[in-house]
Amino acid sequence: LALARARGLVHISVPEYEPRNQELERALKETLDVDSVVIRSVVGLTPPQLRQTIGYFAAPIVQQWLRPRTTVLFAGGRSVLPLALNMRPPEGAYGIRFAEAMGHIDSTPGPYDAEEICRHLARTWRGSVLTMNAPLLFPDRDSCERFLKMEQIQQAMEALTHADIIFAGVGNLDDSVIIDRHVFSRDDFAMLKTVGATGELLGRFYDARGQECQTALCHRIMSLPLAKLRGIPKRVGVIAGRERTAAIVAGIRGSLINTLVVDDVGAAALLQDAKAAQGKNHSRSQSRRRS
């Protein structure tokens, strides 16, 4: 091969790789009305490898969304971490404040917790950090409400409501960082299942309509309320794989998410479920008309 190349008989070239699946991005926009960055995946990747792939290829696109002097929220997560680690400040990015949108999951923060992600980005981007300095889950409603009355916490919460963009992982009752860290008790899970919990954002659980499940847990959680989340202009769900499709569709339906960073397998599953749901709704409408 080297000899043939030297004689001019063979030319070797490497075409530019396009990591985005723009056809799926257009389909998501048309079907679910969400903006998206869909990254092509490779068959046989483990979940950690898939998250790394999404983070590596999506970061150069996503980092352009961060403007000077904006407030950027993070809710942490195993898919959010690789994205954050691969983000580099574009030219002219200055004065950005990185803020955690939820309290600490427990007393031993891991690398994919919001606080650690925000501190890393603040160092890399020469920005500032805004932290909650509070646990995610309080033992009771009274202690949580007293904490919320503190001036420091009120100022932090006010800043969060004026954020420009948020990056968050999406969980459910079967798979979530919060689940892995055993934050909730068995009774909590039983209660969430009873009320139809479908997805989790910021430590708050919501139903198939994207509305927060009204349980006693609502008054013990220290994070940006979902009603306030809807006021942030760009609400980015970062997801790897197809296991949380129902949670993502519900989050979109409830206006909790309006932008996705996802792999092509996860995006295809979303489209399949969304079209199936539309078909069921169409059939119900026809049945009502006949009756």
Side-chain angles (χ1 to χ4, degrees):
L1 184 62
L3 182 60
R5 184 182 181 191
R7 292 178 177 177
L9 301 174
V10 173
H11 295 278
I12 299 174
S13 62
V14 179
E16 184 176 350
Y17 177 66
E18 172 52 66
R20 298 177 71 171
N21 189 325
Q22 298 188 8
E23 182 181 350
L24 274 176
E25 291 179 5
R26 287 190 292 270
L28 285 172
K29 179 67 176 177
E30 293 171 1
T31 306
L32 291 170
D33 193 26
V34 290
D35 295 324
S36 59
V37 176
V38 179
I39 301 300
R40 300 180 187 276
S41 57
V42 179
V43 176
L45 293 181
T46 63
Q49 290 171 335
L50 179 58
R51 295 182 194 115
Q52 291 291 338
T53 300
I54 295 170
Y56 178 81
F57 286 111
I61 304 160
V62 166
Q63 66 197 27
Q64 301 298 325
W65 300 344
L66 277 59
R67 304 299 181 191
R69 298 190 180 282
T70 56
T71 297
V72 182
L73 306 188
F74 279 88
R78 291 165 295 190
S79 296
V80 176
L81 175 63
L83 182 69
L85 292 180
N86 283 286
M87 290 167 62
R88 299 292 181 268
E91 186 176 353
Y94 62 90
I96 297 177
R97 178 166 56 176
F98 299 95
E100 56 175 342
M102 56 192 287
H104 307 156
I105 295 177
D106 56 31
S107 58
T108 56
Y112 42 71
D113 286 338
E115 180 185 13
E116 297 300 310
I117 290 173
C118 289
R119 291 192 186 282
H120 166 78
L121 286 169
R123 288 192 298 268
T124 305
W125 293 55
R126 297 184 179 179
S128 59
V129 178
L130 178 66
T131 66
M132 283 276 193
N133 290 324
L136 171 66
L137 183 67
F138 278 74
D140 52 60
R141 178 173 182 168
D142 185 56
S143 58
C144 186
E145 289 181 347
R146 286 204 307 270
F147 208 84
L148 279 168
K149 291 177 182 178
M150 294 177 61
E151 183 178 358
Q152 175 185 350
I153 301 300
Q154 288 182 346
Q155 290 175 350
M157 281 292 187
E158 180 66 18
L160 298 186
T161 61
H162 293 94
D164 305 278
I165 183 171
I166 180 170
F167 294 93
V170 181
N172 57 29
L173 285 177
D174 298 314
D175 189 11
S176 167
V177 171
I178 294 175
I179 305 302
D180 291 348
R181 304 273 277 277
H182 307 291
V183 174
F184 298 115
S185 68
R186 291 183 179 179
D187 289 341
D188 294 332
F189 281 116
M191 178 171 52
L192 288 167
K193 287 181 178 180
T194 300
V195 297
T198 301
E200 174 266 316
L201 270 170
L202 312 181
R204 298 183 182 273
F205 286 85
Y206 55 89
D207 61 21
R209 298 173 298 120
Q211 302 301 312
E212 186 166 8
C213 296
Q214 296 303 308
T215 69
L217 287 174
C218 297
H219 308 290
R220 296 170 53 200
I221 296 291
M222 181 64 64
S223 70
L224 182 70
L226 297 186
K228 299 290 185 181
L229 170 64
R230 294 185 179 96
I232 296 175
K234 201 170 191 68
R235 306 178 295 280
V236 187
V238 186
I239 309 102
R242 58 185 303 159
E243 290 74 21
R244 308 178 192 188
T245 301
I248 298 161
V249 171
I252 294 170
R253 187 177 292 131
S255 298
L256 304 175
I257 302 168
N258 63 7
T259 306
L260 290 173
V261 175
V262 63
D263 62 291
D264 52 2
V265 173
L270 279 172
L271 285 173
Q272 183 178 358
D273 282 14
K275 289 177 180 178
Q278 289 175 355
K280 289 179 181 178
N281 291 335
H282 181 67
S283 298
R284 288 171 186 162
S285 297
Q286 288 184 326
S287 298
R288 291 193 189 101
R289 288 172 189 161
R290 293 193 190 101
S291 60

PDB file of all heavy atoms in Angstrom, residues 26-62:
ATOM      1  N   ARG A  26     -34.387  16.968  12.949  1.00  0.00           N
ATOM      2  CA  ARG A  26     -35.556  17.567  12.294  1.00  0.00           C
ATOM      3  C   ARG A  26     -36.838  16.821  12.670  1.00  0.00           C
ATOM      4  O   ARG A  26     -37.887  17.438  12.899  1.00  0.00           O
ATOM      5  CB  ARG A  26     -35.365  17.558  10.779  1.00  0.00           C
ATOM      6  CG  ARG A  26     -34.353  18.570  10.273  1.00  0.00           C
ATOM      7  CD  ARG A  26     -34.404  18.682   8.760  1.00  0.00           C
ATOM      8  NE  ARG A  26     -33.925  17.474   8.117  1.00  0.00           N
ATOM      9  CZ  ARG A  26     -32.661  17.249   7.783  1.00  0.00           C
ATOM     10  NH1 ARG A  26     -31.746  18.178   8.039  1.00  0.00           N
ATOM     11  NH2 ARG A  26     -32.303  16.127   7.203  1.00  0.00           N
ATOM     12  N   ALA A  27     -36.738  15.504  12.758  1.00  0.00           N
ATOM     13  CA  ALA A  27     -37.917  14.708  13.111  1.00  0.00           C
ATOM     14  C   ALA A  27     -38.393  15.010  14.532  1.00  0.00           C
ATOM     15  O   ALA A  27     -39.596  15.087  14.791  1.00  0.00           O
ATOM     16  CB  ALA A  27     -37.607  13.220  12.956  1.00  0.00           C
ATOM     17  N   LEU A  28     -37.452  15.174  15.457  1.00  0.00           N
ATOM     18  CA  LEU A  28     -37.821  15.523  16.832  1.00  0.00           C
ATOM     19  C   LEU A  28     -38.495  16.887  16.881  1.00  0.00           C
ATOM     20  O   LEU A  28     -39.447  17.097  17.632  1.00  0.00           O
ATOM     21  CB  LEU A  28     -36.578  15.517  17.727  1.00  0.00           C
ATOM     22  CG  LEU A  28     -36.012  14.157  18.124  1.00  0.00           C
ATOM     23  CD1 LEU A  28     -34.679  14.320  18.841  1.00  0.00           C
ATOM     24  CD2 LEU A  28     -36.989  13.385  18.994  1.00  0.00           C
ATOM     25  N   LYS A  29     -37.998  17.816  16.090  1.00  0.00           N
ATOM     26  CA  LYS A  29     -38.577  19.157  16.053  1.00  0.00           C
ATOM     27  C   LYS A  29     -40.014  19.103  15.534  1.00  0.00           C
ATOM     28  O   LYS A  29     -40.920  19.737  16.090  1.00  0.00           O
ATOM     29  CB  LYS A  29     -37.729  20.057  15.157  1.00  0.00           C
ATOM     30  CG  LYS A  29     -38.251  21.481  15.025  1.00  0.00           C
ATOM     31  CD  LYS A  29     -38.158  22.235  16.337  1.00  0.00           C
ATOM     32  CE  LYS A  29     -38.572  23.678  16.185  1.00  0.00           C
ATOM     33  NZ  LYS A  29     -38.568  24.415  17.465  1.00  0.00           N
ATOM     34  N   GLU A  30     -40.236  18.320  14.480  1.00  0.00           N
ATOM     35  CA  GLU A  30     -41.564  18.240  13.882  1.00  0.00           C
ATOM     36  C   GLU A  30     -42.551  17.483  14.770  1.00  0.00           C
ATOM     37  O   GLU A  30     -43.710  17.862  14.885  1.00  0.00           O
ATOM     38  CB  GLU A  30     -41.470  17.543  12.522  1.00  0.00           C
ATOM     39  CG  GLU A  30     -40.714  18.349  11.471  1.00  0.00           C
ATOM     40  CD  GLU A  30     -40.458  17.550  10.205  1.00  0.00           C
ATOM     41  OE1 GLU A  30     -40.896  16.371  10.145  1.00  0.00           O
ATOM     42  OE2 GLU A  30     -39.821  18.089   9.274  1.00  0.00           O
ATOM     43  N   THR A  31     -42.084  16.415  15.412  1.00  0.00           N
ATOM     44  CA  THR A  31     -42.984  15.545  16.182  1.00  0.00           C
ATOM     45  C   THR A  31     -43.198  16.024  17.615  1.00  0.00           C
ATOM     46  O   THR A  31     -44.327  16.022  18.114  1.00  0.00           O
ATOM     47  CB  THR A  31     -42.440  14.098  16.204  1.00  0.00           C
ATOM     48  OG1 THR A  31     -42.215  13.646  14.868  1.00  0.00           O
ATOM     49  CG2 THR A  31     -43.425  13.167  16.899  1.00  0.00           C
ATOM     50  N   LEU A  32     -42.109  16.429  18.278  1.00  0.00           N
ATOM     51  CA  LEU A  32     -42.190  16.801  19.694  1.00  0.00           C
ATOM     52  C   LEU A  32     -42.010  18.298  19.938  1.00  0.00           C
ATOM     53  O   LEU A  32     -42.131  18.757  21.071  1.00  0.00           O
ATOM     54  CB  LEU A  32     -41.124  16.035  20.485  1.00  0.00           C
ATOM     55  CG  LEU A  32     -41.352  14.532  20.613  1.00  0.00           C
ATOM     56  CD1 LEU A  32     -40.118  13.848  21.196  1.00  0.00           C
ATOM     57  CD2 LEU A  32     -42.560  14.246  21.484  1.00  0.00           C
ATOM     58  N   ASP A  33     -41.687  19.039  18.884  1.00  0.00           N
ATOM     59  CA  ASP A  33     -41.483  20.484  18.991  1.00  0.00           C
ATOM     60  C   ASP A  33     -40.381  20.832  19.989  1.00  0.00           C
ATOM     61  O   ASP A  33     -40.536  21.685  20.857  1.00  0.00           O
ATOM     62  CB  ASP A  33     -42.786  21.191  19.383  1.00  0.00           C
ATOM     63  CG  ASP A  33     -42.688  22.715  19.187  1.00  0.00           C
ATOM     64  OD1 ASP A  33     -41.885  23.151  18.340  1.00  0.00           O
ATOM     65  OD2 ASP A  33     -43.405  23.447  19.894  1.00  0.00           O
ATOM     66  N   VAL A  34     -39.243  20.144  19.858  1.00  0.00           N
ATOM     67  CA  VAL A  34     -38.080  20.445  20.696  1.00  0.00           C
ATOM     68  C   VAL A  34     -36.853  20.629  19.809  1.00  0.00           C
ATOM     69  O   VAL A  34     -36.709  19.970  18.777  1.00  0.00           O
ATOM     70  CB  VAL A  34     -37.776  19.327  21.722  1.00  0.00           C
ATOM     71  CG1 VAL A  34     -38.817  19.278  22.801  1.00  0.00           C
ATOM     72  CG2 VAL A  34     -37.644  17.975  21.036  1.00  0.00           C
ATOM     73  N   ASP A  35     -35.984  21.546  20.219  1.00  0.00           N
ATOM     74  CA  ASP A  35     -34.675  21.643  19.585  1.00  0.00           C
ATOM     75  C   ASP A  35     -33.825  20.491  20.107  1.00  0.00           C
ATOM     76  O   ASP A  35     -34.064  19.984  21.211  1.00  0.00           O
ATOM     77  CB  ASP A  35     -34.016  22.983  19.919  1.00  0.00           C
ATOM     78  CG  ASP A  35     -34.792  24.162  19.337  1.00  0.00           C
ATOM     79  OD1 ASP A  35     -35.328  24.011  18.225  1.00  0.00           O
ATOM     80  OD2 ASP A  35     -34.855  25.204  19.994  1.00  0.00           O
ATOM     81  N   SER A  36     -32.821  20.089  19.335  1.00  0.00           N
ATOM     82  CA  SER A  36     -32.044  18.945  19.800  1.00  0.00           C
ATOM     83  C   SER A  36     -30.668  18.895  19.154  1.00  0.00           C
ATOM     84  O   SER A  36     -30.440  19.460  18.081  1.00  0.00           O
ATOM     85  CB  SER A  36     -32.777  17.628  19.504  1.00  0.00           C
ATOM     86  OG  SER A  36     -33.020  17.497  18.116  1.00  0.00           O
ATOM     87  N   VAL A  37     -29.771  18.217  19.853  1.00  0.00           N
ATOM     88  CA  VAL A  37     -28.478  17.818  19.312  1.00  0.00           C
ATOM     89  C   VAL A  37     -28.445  16.308  19.439  1.00  0.00           C
ATOM     90  O   VAL A  37     -28.365  15.774  20.538  1.00  0.00           O
ATOM     91  CB  VAL A  37     -27.309  18.461  20.090  1.00  0.00           C
ATOM     92  CG1 VAL A  37     -25.980  17.935  19.558  1.00  0.00           C
ATOM     93  CG2 VAL A  37     -27.360  19.978  20.001  1.00  0.00           C
ATOM     94  N   VAL A  38     -28.565  15.611  18.313  1.00  0.00           N
ATOM     95  CA  VAL A  38     -28.587  14.151  18.303  1.00  0.00           C
ATOM     96  C   VAL A  38     -27.227  13.651  17.835  1.00  0.00           C
ATOM     97  O   VAL A  38     -26.788  13.958  16.727  1.00  0.00           O
ATOM     98  CB  VAL A  38     -29.699  13.608  17.387  1.00  0.00           C
ATOM     99  CG1 VAL A  38     -29.663  12.074  17.381  1.00  0.00           C
ATOM    100  CG2 VAL A  38     -31.064  14.091  17.844  1.00  0.00           C
ATOM    101  N   ILE A  39     -26.547  12.893  18.680  1.00  0.00           N
ATOM    102  CA  ILE A  39     -25.204  12.392  18.383  1.00  0.00           C
ATOM    103  C   ILE A  39     -25.277  10.944  17.913  1.00  0.00           C
ATOM    104  O   ILE A  39     -25.963  10.120  18.516  1.00  0.00           O
ATOM    105  CB  ILE A  39     -24.310  12.495  19.636  1.00  0.00           C
ATOM    106  CG1 ILE A  39     -24.210  13.953  20.103  1.00  0.00           C
ATOM    107  CG2 ILE A  39     -22.920  11.923  19.362  1.00  0.00           C
ATOM    108  CD1 ILE A  39     -23.630  14.909  19.094  1.00  0.00           C
ATOM    109  N   ARG A  40     -24.577  10.648  16.838  1.00  0.00           N
ATOM    110  CA  ARG A  40     -24.523   9.277  16.336  1.00  0.00           C
ATOM    111  C   ARG A  40     -23.773   8.392  17.336  1.00  0.00           C
ATOM    112  O   ARG A  40     -22.743   8.785  17.868  1.00  0.00           O
ATOM    113  CB  ARG A  40     -23.816   9.230  14.984  1.00  0.00           C
ATOM    114  CG  ARG A  40     -24.495  10.065  13.909  1.00  0.00           C
ATOM    115  CD  ARG A  40     -23.756   9.973  12.597  1.00  0.00           C
ATOM    116  NE  ARG A  40     -24.308  10.905  11.628  1.00  0.00           N
ATOM    117  CZ  ARG A  40     -25.361  10.669  10.866  1.00  0.00           C
ATOM    118  NH1 ARG A  40     -25.975   9.497  10.966  1.00  0.00           N
ATOM    119  NH2 ARG A  40     -25.806  11.566  10.020  1.00  0.00           N
ATOM    120  N   SER A  41     -24.296   7.225  17.580  1.00  0.00           N
ATOM    121  CA  SER A  41     -23.655   6.314  18.524  1.00  0.00           C
ATOM    122  C   SER A  41     -23.130   5.086  17.788  1.00  0.00           C
ATOM    123  O   SER A  41     -23.437   4.865  16.621  1.00  0.00           O
ATOM    124  CB  SER A  41     -24.629   5.889  19.623  1.00  0.00           C
ATOM    125  OG  SER A  41     -25.778   5.286  19.063  1.00  0.00           O
ATOM    126  N   VAL A  42     -22.337   4.303  18.470  1.00  0.00           N
ATOM    127  CA  VAL A  42     -21.746   3.094  17.909  1.00  0.00           C
ATOM    128  C   VAL A  42     -22.347   1.893  18.624  1.00  0.00           C
ATOM    129  O   VAL A  42     -22.506   1.893  19.851  1.00  0.00           O
ATOM    130  CB  VAL A  42     -20.211   3.105  18.085  1.00  0.00           C
ATOM    131  CG1 VAL A  42     -19.600   1.831  17.529  1.00  0.00           C
ATOM    132  CG2 VAL A  42     -19.611   4.327  17.395  1.00  0.00           C
ATOM    133  N   VAL A  43     -22.667   0.863  17.865  1.00  0.00           N
ATOM    134  CA  VAL A  43     -23.255  -0.348  18.445  1.00  0.00           C
ATOM    135  C   VAL A  43     -22.268  -1.002  19.419  1.00  0.00           C
ATOM    136  O   VAL A  43     -21.066  -1.094  19.141  1.00  0.00           O
ATOM    137  CB  VAL A  43     -23.629  -1.353  17.337  1.00  0.00           C
ATOM    138  CG1 VAL A  43     -24.150  -2.655  17.944  1.00  0.00           C
ATOM    139  CG2 VAL A  43     -24.672  -0.758  16.404  1.00  0.00           C
ATOM    140  N   GLY A  44     -22.785  -1.425  20.558  1.00  0.00           N
ATOM    141  CA  GLY A  44     -21.956  -2.171  21.503  1.00  0.00           C
ATOM    142  C   GLY A  44     -21.317  -1.343  22.594  1.00  0.00           C
ATOM    143  O   GLY A  44     -20.584  -1.881  23.428  1.00  0.00           O
ATOM    144  N   LEU A  45     -21.589  -0.026  22.633  1.00  0.00           N
ATOM    145  CA  LEU A  45     -21.021   0.807  23.688  1.00  0.00           C
ATOM    146  C   LEU A  45     -21.695   0.513  25.021  1.00  0.00           C
ATOM    147  O   LEU A  45     -22.905   0.284  25.085  1.00  0.00           O
ATOM    148  CB  LEU A  45     -21.197   2.296  23.359  1.00  0.00           C
ATOM    149  CG  LEU A  45     -20.424   2.867  22.167  1.00  0.00           C
ATOM    150  CD1 LEU A  45     -20.723   4.349  22.025  1.00  0.00           C
ATOM    151  CD2 LEU A  45     -18.932   2.641  22.324  1.00  0.00           C
ATOM    152  N   THR A  46     -20.938   0.529  26.085  1.00  0.00           N
ATOM    153  CA  THR A  46     -21.507   0.430  27.424  1.00  0.00           C
ATOM    154  C   THR A  46     -22.141   1.779  27.766  1.00  0.00           C
ATOM    155  O   THR A  46     -21.819   2.796  27.129  1.00  0.00           O
ATOM    156  CB  THR A  46     -20.427   0.101  28.457  1.00  0.00           C
ATOM    157  OG1 THR A  46     -19.481   1.182  28.500  1.00  0.00           O
ATOM    158  CG2 THR A  46     -19.706  -1.195  28.106  1.00  0.00           C
ATOM    159  N   PRO A  47     -23.041   1.846  28.760  1.00  0.00           N
ATOM    160  CA  PRO A  47     -23.631   3.134  29.134  1.00  0.00           C
ATOM    161  C   PRO A  47     -22.602   4.226  29.436  1.00  0.00           C
ATOM    162  O   PRO A  47     -22.749   5.357  28.942  1.00  0.00           O
ATOM    163  CB  PRO A  47     -24.493   2.785  30.350  1.00  0.00           C
ATOM    164  CG  PRO A  47     -24.905   1.371  30.107  1.00  0.00           C
ATOM    165  CD  PRO A  47     -23.706   0.722  29.472  1.00  0.00           C
ATOM    166  N   PRO A  48     -21.537   3.949  30.212  1.00  0.00           N
ATOM    167  CA  PRO A  48     -20.537   5.004  30.433  1.00  0.00           C
ATOM    168  C   PRO A  48     -19.860   5.455  29.141  1.00  0.00           C
ATOM    169  O   PRO A  48     -19.589   6.651  28.953  1.00  0.00           O
ATOM    170  CB  PRO A  48     -19.526   4.346  31.387  1.00  0.00           C
ATOM    171  CG  PRO A  48     -20.303   3.286  32.084  1.00  0.00           C
ATOM    172  CD  PRO A  48     -21.249   2.764  31.046  1.00  0.00           C
ATOM    173  N   GLN A  49     -19.574   4.517  28.228  1.00  0.00           N
ATOM    174  CA  GLN A  49     -18.958   4.883  26.957  1.00  0.00           C
ATOM    175  C   GLN A  49     -19.901   5.725  26.104  1.00  0.00           C
ATOM    176  O   GLN A  49     -19.466   6.672  25.434  1.00  0.00           O
ATOM    177  CB  GLN A  49     -18.549   3.614  26.196  1.00  0.00           C
ATOM    178  CG  GLN A  49     -17.393   2.863  26.820  1.00  0.00           C
ATOM    179  CD  GLN A  49     -17.162   1.507  26.176  1.00  0.00           C
ATOM    180  OE1 GLN A  49     -18.080   0.914  25.597  1.00  0.00           O
ATOM    181  NE2 GLN A  49     -15.945   0.996  26.282  1.00  0.00           N
ATOM    182  N   LEU A  50     -21.178   5.395  26.141  1.00  0.00           N
ATOM    183  CA  LEU A  50     -22.160   6.168  25.380  1.00  0.00           C
ATOM    184  C   LEU A  50     -22.238   7.596  25.913  1.00  0.00           C
ATOM    185  O   LEU A  50     -22.278   8.560  25.134  1.00  0.00           O
ATOM    186  CB  LEU A  50     -23.526   5.495  25.461  1.00  0.00           C
ATOM    187  CG  LEU A  50     -24.671   6.203  24.728  1.00  0.00           C
ATOM    188  CD1 LEU A  50     -24.356   6.366  23.251  1.00  0.00           C
ATOM    189  CD2 LEU A  50     -25.978   5.427  24.922  1.00  0.00           C
ATOM    190  N   ARG A  51     -22.238   7.740  27.235  1.00  0.00           N
ATOM    191  CA  ARG A  51     -22.278   9.087  27.817  1.00  0.00           C
ATOM    192  C   ARG A  51     -21.043   9.888  27.415  1.00  0.00           C
ATOM    193  O   ARG A  51     -21.130  11.088  27.125  1.00  0.00           O
ATOM    194  CB  ARG A  51     -22.373   8.987  29.343  1.00  0.00           C
ATOM    195  CG  ARG A  51     -23.662   8.349  29.842  1.00  0.00           C
ATOM    196  CD  ARG A  51     -23.708   8.321  31.357  1.00  0.00           C
ATOM    197  NE  ARG A  51     -24.769   7.438  31.837  1.00  0.00           N
ATOM    198  CZ  ARG A  51     -24.583   6.334  32.527  1.00  0.00           C
ATOM    199  NH1 ARG A  51     -23.347   5.948  32.850  1.00  0.00           N
ATOM    200  NH2 ARG A  51     -25.593   5.590  32.912  1.00  0.00           N
ATOM    201  N   GLN A  52     -19.872   9.237  27.422  1.00  0.00           N
ATOM    202  CA  GLN A  52     -18.637   9.910  27.026  1.00  0.00           C
ATOM    203  C   GLN A  52     -18.709  10.346  25.566  1.00  0.00           C
ATOM    204  O   GLN A  52     -18.266  11.448  25.214  1.00  0.00           O
ATOM    205  CB  GLN A  52     -17.435   8.976  27.233  1.00  0.00           C
ATOM    206  CG  GLN A  52     -17.100   8.689  28.693  1.00  0.00           C
ATOM    207  CD  GLN A  52     -16.559   9.910  29.416  1.00  0.00           C
ATOM    208  OE1 GLN A  52     -16.053  10.844  28.815  1.00  0.00           O
ATOM    209  NE2 GLN A  52     -16.669   9.889  30.736  1.00  0.00           N
ATOM    210  N   THR A  53     -19.244   9.491  24.711  1.00  0.00           N
ATOM    211  CA  THR A  53     -19.364   9.816  23.288  1.00  0.00           C
ATOM    212  C   THR A  53     -20.262  11.025  23.074  1.00  0.00           C
ATOM    213  O   THR A  53     -19.928  11.953  22.319  1.00  0.00           O
ATOM    214  CB  THR A  53     -19.922   8.600  22.509  1.00  0.00           C
ATOM    215  OG1 THR A  53     -19.035   7.499  22.666  1.00  0.00           O
ATOM    216  CG2 THR A  53     -20.074   8.918  21.031  1.00  0.00           C
ATOM    217  N   ILE A  54     -21.415  11.022  23.735  1.00  0.00           N
ATOM    218  CA  ILE A  54     -22.348  12.145  23.609  1.00  0.00           C
ATOM    219  C   ILE A  54     -21.685  13.434  24.103  1.00  0.00           C
ATOM    220  O   ILE A  54     -21.745  14.471  23.441  1.00  0.00           O
ATOM    221  CB  ILE A  54     -23.638  11.867  24.396  1.00  0.00           C
ATOM    222  CG1 ILE A  54     -24.389  10.678  23.801  1.00  0.00           C
ATOM    223  CG2 ILE A  54     -24.545  13.101  24.407  1.00  0.00           C
ATOM    224  CD1 ILE A  54     -25.545  10.187  24.646  1.00  0.00           C
ATOM    225  N   GLY A  55     -21.043  13.363  25.274  1.00  0.00           N
ATOM    226  CA  GLY A  55     -20.401  14.548  25.837  1.00  0.00           C
ATOM    227  C   GLY A  55     -19.309  15.097  24.944  1.00  0.00           C
ATOM    228  O   GLY A  55     -19.202  16.316  24.749  1.00  0.00           O
ATOM    229  N   TYR A  56     -18.495  14.209  24.381  1.00  0.00           N
ATOM    230  CA  TYR A  56     -17.358  14.640  23.562  1.00  0.00           C
ATOM    231  C   TYR A  56     -17.824  15.365  22.298  1.00  0.00           C
ATOM    232  O   TYR A  56     -17.299  16.427  21.955  1.00  0.00           O
ATOM    233  CB  TYR A  56     -16.505  13.424  23.174  1.00  0.00           C
ATOM    234  CG  TYR A  56     -15.331  13.768  22.295  1.00  0.00           C
ATOM    235  CD1 TYR A  56     -14.148  14.273  22.841  1.00  0.00           C
ATOM    236  CD2 TYR A  56     -15.392  13.586  20.915  1.00  0.00           C
ATOM    237  CE1 TYR A  56     -13.069  14.596  22.031  1.00  0.00           C
ATOM    238  CE2 TYR A  56     -14.326  13.902  20.098  1.00  0.00           C
ATOM    239  CZ  TYR A  56     -13.168  14.404  20.665  1.00  0.00           C
ATOM    240  OH  TYR A  56     -12.110  14.735  19.853  1.00  0.00           O
ATOM    241  N   PHE A  57     -18.798  14.798  21.608  1.00  0.00           N
ATOM    242  CA  PHE A  57     -19.217  15.373  20.333  1.00  0.00           C
ATOM    243  C   PHE A  57     -20.231  16.510  20.489  1.00  0.00           C
ATOM    244  O   PHE A  57     -20.311  17.393  19.625  1.00  0.00           O
ATOM    245  CB  PHE A  57     -19.794  14.282  19.420  1.00  0.00           C
ATOM    246  CG  PHE A  57     -18.751  13.374  18.844  1.00  0.00           C
ATOM    247  CD1 PHE A  57     -18.667  12.046  19.233  1.00  0.00           C
ATOM    248  CD2 PHE A  57     -17.835  13.846  17.908  1.00  0.00           C
ATOM    249  CE1 PHE A  57     -17.697  11.206  18.699  1.00  0.00           C
ATOM    250  CE2 PHE A  57     -16.865  13.012  17.372  1.00  0.00           C
ATOM    251  CZ  PHE A  57     -16.790  11.690  17.772  1.00  0.00           C
ATOM    252  N   ALA A  58     -21.014  16.497  21.568  1.00  0.00           N
ATOM    253  CA  ALA A  58     -22.017  17.556  21.750  1.00  0.00           C
ATOM    254  C   ALA A  58     -21.429  18.817  22.366  1.00  0.00           C
ATOM    255  O   ALA A  58     -21.938  19.917  22.128  1.00  0.00           O
ATOM    256  CB  ALA A  58     -23.171  17.038  22.615  1.00  0.00           C
ATOM    257  N   ALA A  59     -20.361  18.683  23.152  1.00  0.00           N
ATOM    258  CA  ALA A  59     -19.808  19.835  23.875  1.00  0.00           C
ATOM    259  C   ALA A  59     -19.455  21.012  22.974  1.00  0.00           C
ATOM    260  O   ALA A  59     -19.801  22.162  23.298  1.00  0.00           O
ATOM    261  CB  ALA A  59     -18.588  19.400  24.698  1.00  0.00           C
ATOM    262  N   PRO A  60     -18.772  20.820  21.838  1.00  0.00           N
ATOM    263  CA  PRO A  60     -18.440  21.980  20.987  1.00  0.00           C
ATOM    264  C   PRO A  60     -19.662  22.718  20.459  1.00  0.00           C
ATOM    265  O   PRO A  60     -19.581  23.913  20.168  1.00  0.00           O
ATOM    266  CB  PRO A  60     -17.641  21.345  19.833  1.00  0.00           C
ATOM    267  CG  PRO A  60     -17.114  20.067  20.384  1.00  0.00           C
ATOM    268  CD  PRO A  60     -18.170  19.576  21.320  1.00  0.00           C
ATOM    269  N   ILE A  61     -20.779  22.006  20.337  1.00  0.00           N
ATOM    270  CA  ILE A  61     -22.018  22.645  19.878  1.00  0.00           C
ATOM    271  C   ILE A  61     -22.682  23.392  21.020  1.00  0.00           C
ATOM    272  O   ILE A  61     -23.050  24.561  20.912  1.00  0.00           O
ATOM    273  CB  ILE A  61     -22.974  21.571  19.316  1.00  0.00           C
ATOM    274  CG1 ILE A  61     -22.287  20.771  18.203  1.00  0.00           C
ATOM    275  CG2 ILE A  61     -24.266  22.196  18.815  1.00  0.00           C
ATOM    276  CD1 ILE A  61     -22.922  19.444  17.915  1.00  0.00           C
ATOM    277  N   VAL A  62     -22.805  22.698  22.134  1.00  0.00           N
ATOM    278  CA  VAL A  62     -23.509  23.235  23.298  1.00  0.00           C
ATOM    279  C   VAL A  62     -22.808  24.452  23.892  1.00  0.00           C
ATOM    280  O   VAL A  62     -23.456  25.407  24.330  1.00  0.00           O
ATOM    281  CB  VAL A  62     -23.657  22.117  24.356  1.00  0.00           C
ATOM    282  CG1 VAL A  62     -24.073  22.678  25.697  1.00  0.00           C
ATOM    283  CG2 VAL A  62     -24.652  21.068  23.885  1.00  0.00           C
TER     284      VAL A  62
END
